[in-house]
Amino acid sequence: MRRTALLVSAALLTGLLPLASASAAAADDPAPVTVDAFEGEVPFANPPADGIFAWGSDADDPPPLALTARSDAPEGAKVLTGSYDISGYGGFTHDFAFDRPAHDWSAHQGIRFWWDGRNNAKKVSFEIKDGGANGEASELWTTSFTDDWTGWKQIEIPFTDFTYRTDYQPVGGIDQILGLTQMWGYAVTLPVGIKGQFAMDGVELYGKADPSLRASVVTDSAVYPVKEGGEAAVKVSVATTGSAPIEEPVTVAYETSGGTAESGKDYTPVKGELTFPAGTASGTSRTIQVSTVKDRSAEPAETVPLKLTVTGAKAPAETPQVVIDAHGLPYLDQKLPVKKRVADLVSRMSLEEKAGQMTQAERGALTAQGDIASYDLGSLLSGGGSTPTPNTPEAWAKMIDAFQLRAQATRFQIPLIYGVDAVHGHNNLIGSTIMPHNIGIGATRDPQLAERTGAVTASEVRATGVPWDFAPCLCVTRDERWGRSYESFGEDPALVKSMETIIQGLQGARSGKDLKDDDKVLATAKHFVGDGGTEYGSSTTGSYTIDQGVTKVTRQQLEAVHLAPYQTAVDRGVGSVMPSYSSLDLLGDGQGPVKMHARADMINGVLKDRMGFDGFVISDWAAIDQIPGDYASDVRTSVNAGLDMIMVPYAYKDFRTTLIDEVKAGRVSEKRVDDAVSRILTQKFKLGLFEKPYADTSGASRIGSPEHRAVAREAAAKSQVLLKNADGVLPLKKSQKVYVAGSNADDIGNQTGGWTITWQGSPGPVTDGTTILRGMRRAGGDVTYSKDASEPTAGYDVGVVVVGETPYAEGVGDVGNGNDLELTAADKAAVDKVCAAMKCAVLIVSGRPQLIGDRLGSIDALVASWLPGTEGDGVADVLYGKRGFTGQLPVTWPKSESQLPINVGDTSYDPQFPYGWGLTTLTKVPTGGATTLKALALLAAAADRTGSAEAGRTAVTKARLLVQHKLASTLTPTTAKRFAEADHLLLTGRYADAVASLTEAYRAG
């Protein structure tokens, strides 16, 4: 989903555009040029085609668009209409076709359109797209108007009213000049926080280009860091809207003045004037040189503002600053131990600087990039779907480098640590390698493969300039109604612990010595603690039913189920931990439900003190706002509870100011602040950010590479769980004629799920990859495809029906929040039609088990495909026997929703398929029955005595396959319970007990 707007700057929001109808055109004005008449001449189509398309932050935010016949249409018979109820951001765009020349608007004064006012007093952002390769790689120039009238009104916007946007640009812009000779379309961002409708008509260019008030002066940067004794070159350019030569002379008087550097001692002062005569071409530049002076003193960074006084044009939005780099101070000495570097730096910092380090803002929420230095920000993040334009590795790196440049204007030049939710690959980036979601990784039962998926993710993330990943999720999912189920490796803490090898894939060595490498990132264990155990119906967040709810457990249950994975993460050296939105109600402690972000006993007491976690704790998105009390209370409660950095996406100014006030008032101790800042700086030093703050893009060629996709393909193949396989329907033979149907057979968006390009994900071709259908064709299969099974079914050897869920994330996917565990009516119809006509295999592409029991009798083969990622070839590999099915259920597959929650170890346990179930086509099933099991029990006992994990796993695996073969059609509550418990025993290294449990299941079967 392409996004072109998130926030409009505060400056834009304070000004209103004139809303009067267009006056009579002057005789020499060119005739208006229609951009959109909305009569059907422009299709609804995404780029690269010429077309109008909607976009938004999640599945509900893109407004539905229509061309509607209206008797009151200002022009023609139809208008563009739509409705909206936007929680994040949303709007629509008309991008001109990529494969045709850009449009030339330079002869006109501005752009105008008719808007059907609703008098809601809301701001509407209007943008135009200038320069670059296409509409999605162009500069964005923006303004806004207020809907404060009723009925149709024509809005005229002179091009001179548009302001250059820095937040979604190919960073640094193409030339930051509204040239108007290469225009790629426009975009409208609709209001947030109100449910409404809109109508628009007659977008056109009007008037004659106005030669007055069009010139502006820009500099090539706002910050110019130089080493002491070096020289800064400040490039000053004159530009005009429309790219015409300037008609009047422009003068730029310049002078070094103010700042923290001392004139004559730290730099040689400069003063003078640049003149751009009338007729100077737009884009012409002059350079001002500022020389610094080298001395022998150790000093923090010092600033030299270059004051520019412009006559005859608009002045730059910011005063450029030359920054003399900090030098000679101990914290800059790479040879010193990190601990000493941290102590030295913290000892020099002011309270304001420390508070800034504890603050993390969403990059799109910055009111100005200069805020990074003004507020000493320690971190920025990209929330789900918060991406640069264009969404390419190069643009990511340039964007983050631009932010890091701003941090160089601070006293100690402490680099930012930039974070993203790369939860199954670099999932915000189009073209990256998207892995199966964690539930599929848990199904592989392959810790080494989990580590390799983490390594691929780290490599692709770091190559775009991002050193920090908010992953992995170590939740132990206990209820499939939870919309975050797929973020978990499984329902058994032993399984989750076994998959934590992914931390080494992300970070490298446990000591953190590899973090500075160009293919490693800081990992985050989340969400501490108990998020997977929230009770259904306990959530009070919006319409969520279970996510962000309350986990009610005894101390013993908390330790055994939910806390266990975090000790493993700490032992593996994980660098950061994120608490859960949820509340913990620890039975018997007398506190009742308490938000995890407020639980000092768990964060300070258990995580930091008992477990020995020495990294830093980062809050979840605006999570402190959910703590009861006013904002000052939220801040002091969370920081005193042990949070070190607070994710305050839009409230970074308020948070920093409030924290400073709380410390000055003595309600948060300076010692607590110093501890938090020390933990944050430790990881920044380990990441090598002080030495190399800018992106190392040397690994960018590996993003989406065949080598990386091969790992994802293997993970997709090993994640496939064969639940049923009557008469050996699978694997397929290439000689068979195969009828493929179902909603998820040919949809990369559904296949990759939520957290893919946008927060919620979306159906359709959201990124590069291979669908399951395409993978089957590439495997050489004789395949016919009919999505809804409407094509004739006669003459086929076997059918493959790929069904399941559409994307969602977090509580949006909670069962009861518009979702259930049933297949859609269309999917049920496709299964029924195909399975009635031929032998059939049904693949369920979903983030959690789906209820299939009522159709199981008519299905010959059933596969849990989970959310396999971009590599549908991996699914085809097991379908056609290139690889054997080896996956095992990471969660219990229920018979009905009324059974939920149902988990391994439950006293009452009667699932459709038990935890650990998974037929195989890799090897022959062992024979010999009870005799073979007795021999395997002896081998397992010997493995227990000798500590031979490999021998123990081999013995249990053989026993499992033998028992599973017998139970395939005769599962009972007793046999299912023993079978599931055996898999838990295997993961905990109790091999003899596992074989004994399997033997009990065999005897009862």
PDB file of all heavy atoms in Angstrom, residues 73 129 131 134 148 232 468 474 479 526 531 546 553 649 663 726 750 772 806 888 937 964 983-984 998:
ATOM      1  N   ALA A  73     -23.451  18.017  -9.825  1.00  0.00           N
ATOM      2  CA  ALA A  73     -22.022  18.005 -10.166  1.00  0.00           C
ATOM      3  C   ALA A  73     -21.624  19.350 -10.764  1.00  0.00           C
ATOM      4  O   ALA A  73     -22.271  19.829 -11.707  1.00  0.00           O
ATOM      5  CB  ALA A  73     -21.731  16.884 -11.154  1.00  0.00           C
ATOM      6  N   LYS A 129       3.047  16.384  -6.829  1.00  0.00           N
ATOM      7  CA  LYS A 129       4.239  15.541  -6.954  1.00  0.00           C
ATOM      8  C   LYS A 129       5.121  16.076  -8.068  1.00  0.00           C
ATOM      9  O   LYS A 129       4.709  16.123  -9.221  1.00  0.00           O
ATOM     10  CB  LYS A 129       3.824  14.096  -7.237  1.00  0.00           C
ATOM     11  CG  LYS A 129       2.907  13.525  -6.159  1.00  0.00           C
ATOM     12  CD  LYS A 129       2.641  12.050  -6.390  1.00  0.00           C
ATOM     13  CE  LYS A 129       1.958  11.444  -5.176  1.00  0.00           C
ATOM     14  NZ  LYS A 129       2.031   9.983  -5.175  1.00  0.00           N
ATOM     15  N   GLY A 131       8.964  16.188 -10.051  1.00  0.00           N
ATOM     16  CA  GLY A 131      10.291  15.658 -10.356  1.00  0.00           C
ATOM     17  C   GLY A 131      10.447  14.188 -10.021  1.00  0.00           C
ATOM     18  O   GLY A 131       9.521  13.499  -9.604  1.00  0.00           O
ATOM     19  N   ASN A 134       9.141   8.990 -11.029  1.00  0.00           N
ATOM     20  CA  ASN A 134       7.718   8.698 -11.165  1.00  0.00           C
ATOM     21  C   ASN A 134       6.992   9.263  -9.960  1.00  0.00           C
ATOM     22  O   ASN A 134       7.602   9.868  -9.068  1.00  0.00           O
ATOM     23  CB  ASN A 134       7.484   7.182 -11.304  1.00  0.00           C
ATOM     24  CG  ASN A 134       8.119   6.410 -10.153  1.00  0.00           C
ATOM     25  OD1 ASN A 134       7.780   6.612  -8.992  1.00  0.00           O
ATOM     26  ND2 ASN A 134       9.044   5.514 -10.480  1.00  0.00           N
ATOM     27  N   ASP A 148     -14.822  24.237   6.183  1.00  0.00           N
ATOM     28  CA  ASP A 148     -15.669  24.994   7.100  1.00  0.00           C
ATOM     29  C   ASP A 148     -16.841  25.652   6.365  1.00  0.00           C
ATOM     30  O   ASP A 148     -17.263  26.754   6.692  1.00  0.00           O
ATOM     31  CB  ASP A 148     -14.850  26.036   7.865  1.00  0.00           C
ATOM     32  CG  ASP A 148     -14.113  27.001   6.951  1.00  0.00           C
ATOM     33  OD1 ASP A 148     -14.275  26.896   5.716  1.00  0.00           O
ATOM     34  OD2 ASP A 148     -13.373  27.854   7.467  1.00  0.00           O
ATOM     35  N   ALA A 232      34.217  23.901   5.971  1.00  0.00           N
ATOM     36  CA  ALA A 232      32.869  23.549   5.529  1.00  0.00           C
ATOM     37  C   ALA A 232      32.519  24.348   4.285  1.00  0.00           C
ATOM     38  O   ALA A 232      32.835  25.536   4.188  1.00  0.00           O
ATOM     39  CB  ALA A 232      31.852  23.830   6.629  1.00  0.00           C
ATOM     40  N   TRP A 468      18.395  -1.548  14.777  1.00  0.00           N
ATOM     41  CA  TRP A 468      17.614  -2.061  15.910  1.00  0.00           C
ATOM     42  C   TRP A 468      16.308  -2.651  15.413  1.00  0.00           C
ATOM     43  O   TRP A 468      15.571  -2.012  14.659  1.00  0.00           O
ATOM     44  CB  TRP A 468      17.356  -0.903  16.869  1.00  0.00           C
ATOM     45  CG  TRP A 468      16.665  -1.229  18.150  1.00  0.00           C
ATOM     46  CD1 TRP A 468      16.487  -2.443  18.733  1.00  0.00           C
ATOM     47  CD2 TRP A 468      16.052  -0.277  19.036  1.00  0.00           C
ATOM     48  NE1 TRP A 468      15.810  -2.309  19.917  1.00  0.00           N
ATOM     49  CE2 TRP A 468      15.534  -0.998  20.133  1.00  0.00           C
ATOM     50  CE3 TRP A 468      15.909   1.111  19.007  1.00  0.00           C
ATOM     51  CZ2 TRP A 468      14.873  -0.371  21.184  1.00  0.00           C
ATOM     52  CZ3 TRP A 468      15.256   1.736  20.050  1.00  0.00           C
ATOM     53  CH2 TRP A 468      14.752   1.007  21.124  1.00  0.00           C
ATOM     54  N   LEU A 474       8.500 -13.235  22.095  1.00  0.00           N
ATOM     55  CA  LEU A 474       8.677 -14.461  22.883  1.00  0.00           C
ATOM     56  C   LEU A 474       7.404 -14.817  23.641  1.00  0.00           C
ATOM     57  O   LEU A 474       7.441 -15.549  24.628  1.00  0.00           O
ATOM     58  CB  LEU A 474       9.843 -14.300  23.853  1.00  0.00           C
ATOM     59  CG  LEU A 474      11.192 -13.961  23.206  1.00  0.00           C
ATOM     60  CD1 LEU A 474      12.293 -13.908  24.254  1.00  0.00           C
ATOM     61  CD2 LEU A 474      11.550 -14.966  22.119  1.00  0.00           C
ATOM     62  N   ASP A 479      -4.235 -18.887  23.438  1.00  0.00           N
ATOM     63  CA  ASP A 479      -5.636 -18.785  23.003  1.00  0.00           C
ATOM     64  C   ASP A 479      -5.650 -18.277  21.563  1.00  0.00           C
ATOM     65  O   ASP A 479      -5.246 -17.152  21.296  1.00  0.00           O
ATOM     66  CB  ASP A 479      -6.403 -17.822  23.918  1.00  0.00           C
ATOM     67  CG  ASP A 479      -7.918 -17.865  23.704  1.00  0.00           C
ATOM     68  OD1 ASP A 479      -8.345 -18.131  22.564  1.00  0.00           O
ATOM     69  OD2 ASP A 479      -8.657 -17.605  24.672  1.00  0.00           O
ATOM     70  N   LYS A 526      10.141  -9.435  23.283  1.00  0.00           N
ATOM     71  CA  LYS A 526       8.847  -8.826  23.604  1.00  0.00           C
ATOM     72  C   LYS A 526       7.770  -9.915  23.639  1.00  0.00           C
ATOM     73  O   LYS A 526       7.983 -11.010  23.088  1.00  0.00           O
ATOM     74  CB  LYS A 526       8.508  -7.732  22.577  1.00  0.00           C
ATOM     75  CG  LYS A 526       8.310  -8.234  21.135  1.00  0.00           C
ATOM     76  CD  LYS A 526       8.036  -7.085  20.188  1.00  0.00           C
ATOM     77  CE  LYS A 526       7.618  -7.621  18.827  1.00  0.00           C
ATOM     78  NZ  LYS A 526       7.412  -6.536  17.840  1.00  0.00           N
ATOM     79  N   ASP A 531       1.824 -11.637  27.672  1.00  0.00           N
ATOM     80  CA  ASP A 531       0.860 -11.151  26.687  1.00  0.00           C
ATOM     81  C   ASP A 531       0.105 -12.283  26.019  1.00  0.00           C
ATOM     82  O   ASP A 531      -1.056 -12.123  25.628  1.00  0.00           O
ATOM     83  CB  ASP A 531       1.534 -10.254  25.644  1.00  0.00           C
ATOM     84  CG  ASP A 531       2.760 -10.883  25.000  1.00  0.00           C
ATOM     85  OD1 ASP A 531       3.361 -11.785  25.608  1.00  0.00           O
ATOM     86  OD2 ASP A 531       3.138 -10.459  23.896  1.00  0.00           O
ATOM     87  N   ILE A 546      -9.328  -9.492  23.278  1.00  0.00           N
ATOM     88  CA  ILE A 546      -8.351 -10.237  24.071  1.00  0.00           C
ATOM     89  C   ILE A 546      -6.987  -9.531  24.084  1.00  0.00           C
ATOM     90  O   ILE A 546      -6.330  -9.488  25.123  1.00  0.00           O
ATOM     91  CB  ILE A 546      -8.224 -11.706  23.559  1.00  0.00           C
ATOM     92  CG1 ILE A 546      -7.224 -12.495  24.391  1.00  0.00           C
ATOM     93  CG2 ILE A 546      -7.893 -11.766  22.088  1.00  0.00           C
ATOM     94  CD1 ILE A 546      -7.252 -13.997  24.095  1.00  0.00           C
ATOM     95  N   VAL A 553      -2.830 -15.287  36.432  1.00  0.00           N
ATOM     96  CA  VAL A 553      -2.058 -16.515  36.650  1.00  0.00           C
ATOM     97  C   VAL A 553      -1.530 -16.553  38.075  1.00  0.00           C
ATOM     98  O   VAL A 553      -1.402 -15.512  38.737  1.00  0.00           O
ATOM     99  CB  VAL A 553      -0.853 -16.622  35.682  1.00  0.00           C
ATOM    100  CG1 VAL A 553      -1.283 -16.928  34.272  1.00  0.00           C
ATOM    101  CG2 VAL A 553      -0.016 -15.347  35.722  1.00  0.00           C
ATOM    102  N   PRO A 649       5.377   8.177  20.236  1.00  0.00           N
ATOM    103  CA  PRO A 649       5.447   8.514  18.809  1.00  0.00           C
ATOM    104  C   PRO A 649       5.159   9.967  18.487  1.00  0.00           C
ATOM    105  O   PRO A 649       5.893  10.606  17.734  1.00  0.00           O
ATOM    106  CB  PRO A 649       4.398   7.588  18.192  1.00  0.00           C
ATOM    107  CG  PRO A 649       4.294   6.448  19.143  1.00  0.00           C
ATOM    108  CD  PRO A 649       4.530   7.016  20.496  1.00  0.00           C
ATOM    109  N   VAL A 663      12.024  14.863  37.461  1.00  0.00           N
ATOM    110  CA  VAL A 663      13.336  14.716  38.092  1.00  0.00           C
ATOM    111  C   VAL A 663      13.628  15.928  38.982  1.00  0.00           C
ATOM    112  O   VAL A 663      14.078  15.790  40.125  1.00  0.00           O
ATOM    113  CB  VAL A 663      14.440  14.538  37.035  1.00  0.00           C
ATOM    114  CG1 VAL A 663      15.820  14.506  37.696  1.00  0.00           C
ATOM    115  CG2 VAL A 663      14.217  13.249  36.236  1.00  0.00           C
ATOM    116  N   ALA A 726      -4.850 -39.094   3.545  1.00  0.00           N
ATOM    117  CA  ALA A 726      -5.492 -40.364   3.216  1.00  0.00           C
ATOM    118  C   ALA A 726      -5.032 -40.862   1.851  1.00  0.00           C
ATOM    119  O   ALA A 726      -4.991 -40.103   0.879  1.00  0.00           O
ATOM    120  CB  ALA A 726      -7.008 -40.192   3.232  1.00  0.00           C
ATOM    121  N   ASN A 750      -2.106 -12.065   1.172  1.00  0.00           N
ATOM    122  CA  ASN A 750      -2.696 -13.013   2.118  1.00  0.00           C
ATOM    123  C   ASN A 750      -1.663 -14.010   2.616  1.00  0.00           C
ATOM    124  O   ASN A 750      -1.694 -14.438   3.770  1.00  0.00           O
ATOM    125  CB  ASN A 750      -3.860 -13.755   1.471  1.00  0.00           C
ATOM    126  CG  ASN A 750      -5.068 -12.864   1.240  1.00  0.00           C
ATOM    127  OD1 ASN A 750      -5.093 -11.714   1.654  1.00  0.00           O
ATOM    128  ND2 ASN A 750      -6.068 -13.401   0.547  1.00  0.00           N
ATOM    129  N   ILE A 772       1.768 -19.356  -3.956  1.00  0.00           N
ATOM    130  CA  ILE A 772       1.732 -20.823  -3.954  1.00  0.00           C
ATOM    131  C   ILE A 772       1.395 -21.346  -5.334  1.00  0.00           C
ATOM    132  O   ILE A 772       2.009 -22.313  -5.829  1.00  0.00           O
ATOM    133  CB  ILE A 772       0.733 -21.322  -2.899  1.00  0.00           C
ATOM    134  CG1 ILE A 772       1.233 -20.954  -1.495  1.00  0.00           C
ATOM    135  CG2 ILE A 772       0.520 -22.829  -3.019  1.00  0.00           C
ATOM    136  CD1 ILE A 772       0.222 -21.197  -0.391  1.00  0.00           C
ATOM    137  N   THR A 806      -7.420 -13.507   5.680  1.00  0.00           N
ATOM    138  CA  THR A 806      -6.839 -12.302   5.083  1.00  0.00           C
ATOM    139  C   THR A 806      -6.059 -11.583   6.180  1.00  0.00           C
ATOM    140  O   THR A 806      -6.259 -11.842   7.367  1.00  0.00           O
ATOM    141  CB  THR A 806      -7.927 -11.390   4.502  1.00  0.00           C
ATOM    142  OG1 THR A 806      -8.909 -11.128   5.513  1.00  0.00           O
ATOM    143  CG2 THR A 806      -8.607 -12.053   3.307  1.00  0.00           C
ATOM    144  N   GLN A 888       5.586 -29.754  12.413  1.00  0.00           N
ATOM    145  CA  GLN A 888       4.750 -30.232  13.515  1.00  0.00           C
ATOM    146  C   GLN A 888       3.963 -29.063  14.100  1.00  0.00           C
ATOM    147  O   GLN A 888       4.452 -27.928  14.112  1.00  0.00           O
ATOM    148  CB  GLN A 888       5.615 -30.847  14.620  1.00  0.00           C
ATOM    149  CG  GLN A 888       6.360 -32.099  14.208  1.00  0.00           C
ATOM    150  CD  GLN A 888       7.280 -32.563  15.322  1.00  0.00           C
ATOM    151  OE1 GLN A 888       8.500 -32.573  15.185  1.00  0.00           O
ATOM    152  NE2 GLN A 888       6.701 -32.960  16.446  1.00  0.00           N
ATOM    153  N   ALA A 937      12.594 -47.112  23.704  1.00  0.00           N
ATOM    154  CA  ALA A 937      12.610 -46.671  25.100  1.00  0.00           C
ATOM    155  C   ALA A 937      13.977 -46.898  25.721  1.00  0.00           C
ATOM    156  O   ALA A 937      14.467 -46.058  26.495  1.00  0.00           O
ATOM    157  CB  ALA A 937      11.531 -47.422  25.884  1.00  0.00           C
ATOM    158  N   GLN A 964       2.084 -42.034  15.633  1.00  0.00           N
ATOM    159  CA  GLN A 964       1.224 -41.138  14.861  1.00  0.00           C
ATOM    160  C   GLN A 964       0.554 -41.885  13.719  1.00  0.00           C
ATOM    161  O   GLN A 964      -0.622 -41.646  13.405  1.00  0.00           O
ATOM    162  CB  GLN A 964       2.072 -39.978  14.334  1.00  0.00           C
ATOM    163  CG  GLN A 964       1.293 -38.880  13.655  1.00  0.00           C
ATOM    164  CD  GLN A 964       2.187 -37.696  13.311  1.00  0.00           C
ATOM    165  OE1 GLN A 964       1.975 -36.610  13.786  1.00  0.00           O
ATOM    166  NE2 GLN A 964       3.182 -37.937  12.487  1.00  0.00           N
ATOM    167  N   ASP A 983       5.660 -34.529  23.036  1.00  0.00           N
ATOM    168  CA  ASP A 983       6.431 -33.516  22.313  1.00  0.00           C
ATOM    169  C   ASP A 983       7.002 -32.482  23.276  1.00  0.00           C
ATOM    170  O   ASP A 983       8.123 -32.003  23.099  1.00  0.00           O
ATOM    171  CB  ASP A 983       5.557 -32.833  21.258  1.00  0.00           C
ATOM    172  CG  ASP A 983       6.391 -32.154  20.182  1.00  0.00           C
ATOM    173  OD1 ASP A 983       7.122 -32.866  19.476  1.00  0.00           O
ATOM    174  OD2 ASP A 983       6.325 -30.920  20.077  1.00  0.00           O
ATOM    175  N   HIS A 984       6.234 -32.126  24.295  1.00  0.00           N
ATOM    176  CA  HIS A 984       6.747 -31.207  25.324  1.00  0.00           C
ATOM    177  C   HIS A 984       7.943 -31.841  26.042  1.00  0.00           C
ATOM    178  O   HIS A 984       8.956 -31.175  26.304  1.00  0.00           O
ATOM    179  CB  HIS A 984       5.640 -30.872  26.316  1.00  0.00           C
ATOM    180  CG  HIS A 984       6.125 -30.144  27.526  1.00  0.00           C
ATOM    181  ND1 HIS A 984       6.515 -28.824  27.504  1.00  0.00           N
ATOM    182  CD2 HIS A 984       6.313 -30.576  28.815  1.00  0.00           C
ATOM    183  CE1 HIS A 984       6.914 -28.449  28.705  1.00  0.00           C
ATOM    184  NE2 HIS A 984       6.790 -29.500  29.517  1.00  0.00           N
ATOM    185  N   LEU A 998       4.492 -41.694  24.592  1.00  0.00           N
ATOM    186  CA  LEU A 998       4.067 -42.157  23.273  1.00  0.00           C
ATOM    187  C   LEU A 998       3.614 -43.618  23.324  1.00  0.00           C
ATOM    188  O   LEU A 998       2.653 -44.014  22.647  1.00  0.00           O
ATOM    189  CB  LEU A 998       5.210 -41.991  22.266  1.00  0.00           C
ATOM    190  CG  LEU A 998       5.492 -40.555  21.829  1.00  0.00           C
ATOM    191  CD1 LEU A 998       6.828 -40.458  21.100  1.00  0.00           C
ATOM    192  CD2 LEU A 998       4.369 -40.034  20.933  1.00  0.00           C
TER     193      LEU A 998
END
